[in-house]
């Protein structure tokens, strides 16, 4: 009888992070770029340019810019904002303040956005924020739905279902005839980003040995940051929101070819007692990595992950399994709170573009750029300092930097910029740490459910 052995030892016997794992891992990193596009493009789709009321004698295609005397003659001065009103103008008697019926927009950066097409300004401005919130609610729902699907039906099938829906509804967003369709389609796209990114993340980490798991967990997030930066120049040159959305959505079609290149997670197959399917994939890995492997070892796996037993094919894990034991409950609540705080801070910094008042594209690009050193530093700190210390350090730095911004006068523009970028770098490092920390804390059979539940709390934040 063969001695039972840990699953991670099997991964080591297959070459650890061999040629097969490197190839598949690289392919799994690329969809993170598309997920960044969809998660962050709302900043540009719903960008609110400078605007003013269209005067009664003006044409709808008039220029936004006006001589100073025309501004003074036609628009009330708002002392609190130190600017002329954008939502009202003087009536025919030059004394009565009248609310706008239509608007003239500054088109120097964007020819058309969701805001300008449907006039989501002034009394309707709340609809834009509502749209952002519903999108993030979609991400939250997708974290639960696709996380549970992945643990129940498999990583691979869930990844491709998410990808197809993301492409279809991404195109539908661009073709939306009115705001309601746009919001609902964006809700679905938000949900699918969880299915694509989180599932790819889990597959990537489950196929490498423990000594390479930190590297794999950090590098895949660098691809998300790459998508973050790439989006800025695309939006700079594609200034119509419908065209921009179409380009970003269609780019996801290339990943449908992954069906023939990406295998199911061997770790997941073993937990479901599908050893025959697991052996087929392991043969491919051993052949490409040029290692000899005894297939009988698959029948004698001692444990998967945190010493959980192999599940029967009839068992169905749900989100409630996270709370069955006191130890898991304690871990879950602490991790959920950290996701809530990290996500609220991270996306708050992304959507707050006011620190670069003159150049939204520069703001966006720099915010993505600082994520590169934020993730690279994790490669050196996470093993030497540990997960908890690293997480705490960067959360403290982010908090102190953000609090310091409120103490700096508005005239010190670059001081505010440096503090904002410092907080963005720190919260990115913290966010990257909590991803890895979460994956390591839960057993394989509920890992994707736990990661999905964590992401749910993140989107509440």
């Amino acid at each position: 009888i063969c001695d039972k052995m840990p699953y991670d030892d099997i991964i080591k016997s297959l070459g650890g992070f061999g040629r097969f794992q490197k190839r598949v891992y690289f392919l799994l990193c690329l969809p993170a770029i598309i997920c960044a596009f969809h998660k962050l493009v709302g900043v540009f789709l719903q960008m609110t340019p400078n605007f003013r009321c269209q005067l009664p004698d003006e044409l709808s295609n008039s220029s936004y810019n006006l001589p100073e005397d025309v501004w003074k003659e036609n628009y009330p001065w708002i002392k609190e904002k130190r600017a002329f009103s954008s939502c009202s103008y003087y009536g025919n008697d030059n004394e009565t303040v009248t609310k706008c019926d239509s608007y003239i927009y500054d088109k120097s950066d964007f020819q058309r956005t969701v805001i300008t097409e449907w006039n989501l300004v002034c009394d309707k401005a709340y609809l834009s924020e509502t749209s952002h919130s519903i999108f993030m609610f979609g991400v939250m729902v997708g974290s639960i739905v696709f996380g549970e699907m992945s643990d129940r039906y498999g990583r691979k099938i869930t990844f491709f279902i998410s990808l197809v829906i993301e492409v279809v509804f991404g195109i539908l967003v661009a073709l939306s005839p009115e705001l309601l369709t746009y919001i609902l389609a964006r809700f679905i796209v938000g949900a699918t980003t969880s299915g694509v990114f989180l599932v790819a993340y889990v597959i990537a980490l489950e196929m490498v040995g423990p000594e390479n798991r930190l590297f794999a967990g950090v590098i895949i997030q660098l691809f998300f940051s790459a998508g973050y930066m790439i989006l800025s120049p695309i939006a700079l040159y594609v200034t119509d929101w419908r065209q921009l959305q179409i380009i970003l959505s269609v780019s996801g079609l290339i990943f449908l070819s992954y069906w023939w290149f990406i295998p199911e997670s061997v770790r997941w197959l073993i937990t479901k007692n599908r050893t025959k399917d697991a052996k087929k994939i392991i043969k491919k890995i051993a052949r490409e990595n040029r290692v000899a492997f005894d297939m009988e070892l698959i029948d004698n796996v001692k444990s998967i992950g945190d010493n959980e037993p192999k599940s029967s094919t009839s068992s169905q894990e749900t989100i409630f399994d996270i709370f069955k034991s006191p130890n898991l409950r304690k871990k879950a609540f602490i991790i959920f709170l950290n996701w809530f705080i990290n996500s609220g801070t991270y996306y708050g910094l992304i959507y707050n573009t006011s620190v670069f008042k003159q150049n939204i594209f520069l703001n966006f690009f720099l915010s993505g750029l600082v994520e590169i050193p934020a993730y690279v530093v994790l490669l050196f700190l996470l093993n030497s300092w540990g997960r908890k210390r690293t997480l705490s350090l960067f959360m403290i730095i982010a908090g102190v930097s953000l609090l310091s911004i409120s103490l700096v006068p508005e005239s010190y523009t670059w001081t505010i910029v440096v503090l904002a970028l410092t907080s963005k770098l720190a919260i990115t490092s913290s966010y990257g740490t909590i991803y890895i920390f979460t994956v390591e804390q839960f057993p394989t059979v509920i890992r994707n459910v736990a990661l999905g539940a964590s992401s749910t709390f993140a989107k509440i934040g």
Side-chain angles (χ1 to χ4, degrees):
I1 300 175
C2 295
D3 292 332
K4 292 184 179 294
M5 65 184 299
Y7 175 80
D8 284 337
D9 286 351
I10 290 180
I11 294 295
K12 291 179 182 179
S13 300
L14 286 168
F17 198 41
R19 180 179 175 182
F20 180 92
Q21 287 95 330
K22 289 176 182 176
R23 175 175 59 82
V24 174
Y25 174 76
F26 176 73
L27 292 176
L28 287 169
C29 286
L30 294 177
I33 297 174
I34 304 300
C35 287
F37 288 168
H38 285 294
K39 274 194 172 182
L40 306 177
V41 72
V43 172
F44 299 108
L45 298 182
Q46 296 174 221
M47 175 56 58
T48 303
N50 291 326
F51 66 95
R52 60 177 176 83
C53 294
Q54 180 181 342
L55 299 175
D57 57 347
E58 275 191 308
L59 298 175
S60 59
N61 62 349
S62 297
S63 171
Y64 165 79
N65 297 309
L66 293 173
E68 184 70 18
D69 60 322
V70 178
W71 280 104
K72 292 180 178 179
E73 182 180 347
N74 291 280
Y75 297 96
W77 178 259
I78 308 299
K79 291 183 180 179
E80 295 79 9
K81 296 182 178 180
R82 290 183 289 179
F84 290 103
S85 174
S86 298
C87 299
S88 60
Y89 65 99
Y90 290 125
N92 294 329
D93 57 4
N94 288 335
E95 294 183 2
T96 305
V97 176
T98 305
K99 288 187 176 181
C100 300
D101 293 320
S102 53
Y103 304 89
I104 300 295
Y105 295 95
D106 182 358
K107 296 184 178 181
S108 57
D109 288 330
F110 299 94
Q111 285 299 308
R112 180 172 57 166
T113 71
V114 171
I115 305 301
T116 63
E117 181 164 336
W118 291 314
N119 289 324
L120 305 184
V121 293
C122 300
D123 293 341
K124 294 183 179 179
Y126 74 95
L127 291 173
S128 177
E129 298 305 320
T130 301
S131 175
H132 283 310
S133 298
I134 292 175
F135 174 81
M136 297 307 290
F137 181 65
V139 178
M140 181 184 75
V141 171
S143 300
I144 300 173
V145 173
F146 291 112
E148 190 159 327
M149 277 182 61
S150 176
D151 283 334
R152 183 174 296 191
Y153 302 112
R155 314 313 198 201
K156 182 175 179 178
I157 188 64
T158 302
F159 174 85
F160 282 99
I161 289 174
S162 304
L163 182 61
V164 170
I165 296 174
E166 183 178 79
V167 171
V168 171
F169 279 85
I171 294 172
L172 181 59
V173 168
L175 301 178
S176 300
E178 30 71 32
L179 182 61
L180 180 60
T181 302
Y182 169 85
I183 291 175
L184 292 177
R186 282 271 293 163
F187 169 83
I188 300 298
V189 171
T192 59
T193 60
S194 296
V196 174
F197 182 74
L198 292 182
V199 174
Y201 185 87
V202 170
I203 296 175
L205 264 64
E206 288 183 342
M207 64 181 287
V208 301
E211 67 278 5
N212 299 115
R213 212 159 281 152
L214 170 60
F215 174 85
V218 171
I219 297 301
I220 192 172
Q221 297 192 72
L222 282 173
F223 280 78
F224 185 92
S225 301
Y228 193 150
M229 290 185 290
I230 293 168
L231 179 57
S232 184
I234 294 175
L236 176 63
Y237 290 103
V238 183
T239 58
D240 183 289
W241 77 269
R242 292 184 184 273
Q243 295 176 11
L244 177 61
Q245 179 65 30
I246 283 283
I247 290 170
L248 300 182
S249 299
V250 171
S251 62
L253 288 172
I254 190 173
F255 298 113
L256 294 177
S257 63
Y258 276 21
W259 183 263
W260 293 276
F261 303 108
I262 301 297
E264 180 57 90
S265 166
V266 173
R267 185 181 284 253
W268 179 84
L269 288 171
I270 293 175
T271 66
K272 296 297 180 181
N273 282 341
R274 292 173 54 180
T275 54
K276 184 177 180 180
D277 294 326
K279 287 179 179 179
K280 289 180 181 178
I281 296 172
I282 285 175
K283 285 181 181 179
K284 293 180 181 178
I285 298 174
R287 188 184 312 119
E288 186 167 336
N289 289 349
R290 297 179 181 178
V291 296
F293 185 82
D294 183 0
M295 288 298 164
E296 290 186 6
L297 295 176
I298 300 300
D299 300 315
N300 296 277
V301 178
K302 182 174 69 176
S303 64
I304 303 292
D306 298 328
N307 295 319
E308 74 270 20
K310 291 189 283 186
S311 63
S312 66
T313 55
S314 61
S315 66
Q316 302 290 353
E317 293 74 25
T318 69
I319 191 173
F320 299 107
D321 292 306
I322 298 173
F323 306 101
K324 282 186 176 180
S325 72
N327 183 43
L328 279 180
R329 279 198 301 272
K330 181 181 178 181
K331 286 181 180 179
F333 286 127
I334 294 173
I335 288 172
F336 292 165
L337 177 61
N338 276 275
W339 276 81
F340 176 87
I341 295 170
N342 276 270
S343 181
T345 306
Y346 180 82
Y347 284 102
L349 286 168
I350 288 175
Y351 283 98
N352 179 18
T353 57
S354 60
V355 291
F356 289 93
K357 296 180 180 179
Q358 301 301 319
N359 197 325
I360 173 62
F361 303 104
L362 175 63
N363 168 35
F364 201 82
F365 181 82
L366 289 177
S367 293
L369 183 63
V370 296
E371 293 195 356
I372 304 300
Y375 286 126
V376 170
V377 74
L378 293 182
L379 295 173
F380 300 97
L381 288 184
L382 283 178
N383 281 337
S384 59
W385 275 35
R387 278 45 165 170
K388 289 193 289 186
R389 284 185 180 180
T390 304
L391 179 65
S392 300
L393 171 67
F394 285 113
M395 289 183 71
I396 290 171
I397 293 174
V400 170
S401 299
L402 287 172
L403 287 173
S404 299
I405 291 176
S406 63
L407 303 176
V408 178
E410 289 187 15
S411 58
Y412 289 72
T413 305
W414 281 104
T415 303
I416 295 174
V417 167
V418 170
L419 288 171
L421 292 178
T422 300
S423 60
K424 183 60 163 53
L425 186 152
I427 203 63
T428 300
S429 293
S430 175
Y431 214 169
T433 302
I434 198 66
Y435 259 100
I436 296 169
F437 195 49
T438 302
V439 169
E440 293 175 340
Q441 293 301 308
F442 294 97
T444 301
V445 290
I446 60 169
R447 181 169 293 138
N448 232 35
V449 169
L451 193 57
S454 300
S455 185
T456 297
F457 278 84
K459 300 314 171 279
I460 293 173

